[in-house]
Amino acid sequence: RRRHIWKVAQFNQYLRRLGLRECREVQRSHAARFIESRTPRRRSGSSSTQRQAAMRGAVRSFLKYLSERGLLGEPCRAPPPYAGLLEEYLKYLKLERNLAETTLKRQARCATLVLEDFCPSGDPEALCRVSPEEVQASFAKHTQDSGPDLRRDIQGFLRSFFRFCQKQGY
């Protein structure tokens, strides 16, 4: 516990050097830069990698603590153009197919990956112009370095999403 608190205290000192004084000023990007600054430049031994992982874990758990209490300064992000379509799809999954929240979260994660390729403007009419080759290319792009779970999730999303689009007349 002392080592964990010591790592978080180092992060606090880093934030103070940046001039941050309030929790709401802290952002996840600060943690990423802090961990990057602690990365050893020359040697890449297992002990230095373990220390970096321990530092990352301590800072990540601290940020989670702040976030759960609403104390973390999250940058405001504009919703993506396809947010309305995504919301409509998730509502369909919840009401029509009665899917669990965890499944909805997985579907939303897959949707954000794929909808950026198919519908970047947010216009459902763009879905009419998606070719099978584009579907294959998008699938390959998002799953080339991933495990079987993500591949299975994206395949399921594609089947379900295009079924939804057909039902809606998109």
Side-chain angles (χ1 to χ4, degrees):
R1 289 183 190 165
R2 269 187 265 147
R3 281 188 221 141
H4 186 82
I5 292 171
W6 180 76
K7 290 174 178 87
V8 172
Q10 283 186 317
F11 181 52
N12 183 50
Q13 290 173 350
Y14 171 80
L15 295 172
R16 295 247 181 222
R17 283 193 303 271
L18 292 177
L20 302 176
R21 300 286 183 240
E22 299 291 325
C23 289
R24 296 192 193 284
E25 296 175 300
V26 179
Q27 296 182 359
R28 294 185 190 282
S29 59
H30 294 119
R33 285 194 300 265
F34 169 72
I35 292 168
E36 176 72 24
S37 72
R38 297 290 187 244
T39 303
R41 298 278 183 234
R42 293 196 175 126
R43 54 186 178 145
S44 60
S46 64
S47 64
S48 63
T49 305
Q50 289 172 347
R51 281 192 303 267
Q52 181 186 6
M55 181 67 77
R56 188 174 26 254
V59 171
R60 190 176 294 147
S61 68
F62 178 62
L63 291 178
K64 181 180 177 190
Y65 172 82
L66 292 177
S67 180
E68 287 172 351
R69 281 148 186 81
L71 300 173
L72 189 61
E74 299 287 350
C76 296
R77 293 184 188 147
Y82 53 82
L85 180 62
L86 176 59
E87 187 177 319
E88 184 182 352
Y89 172 65
L90 293 174
K91 184 177 176 183
Y92 159 80
L93 291 178
K94 187 170 182 78
L95 298 176
E96 298 285 324
R97 300 201 37 217
N98 198 27
L99 296 180
E101 284 298 317
T102 54
T103 306
L104 293 175
K105 287 179 184 176
R106 283 198 330 264
Q107 288 283 317
R109 183 183 67 169
C110 294
T112 55
L113 291 174
V114 175
L115 286 177
E116 289 176 358
D117 295 339
F118 297 158
C119 192
S121 65
D123 180 20
E125 296 297 319
L127 295 170
C128 292
R129 297 183 290 277
V130 175
S131 70
E133 292 79 21
E134 290 175 304
V135 173
Q136 283 183 317
S138 177
F139 178 77
K141 176 176 111 179
H142 295 296
T143 60
Q144 91 185 53
D145 294 327
S146 64
D149 291 341
L150 182 62
R151 285 194 294 272
R152 187 178 51 245
D153 285 348
I154 291 180
Q155 285 173 340
F157 163 74
L158 289 169
R159 282 192 301 272
S160 174
F161 182 70
F162 284 122
R163 194 176 307 124
F164 161 78
C165 289
Q166 181 183 21
K167 186 174 180 177
Q168 297 297 342
Y170 297 148

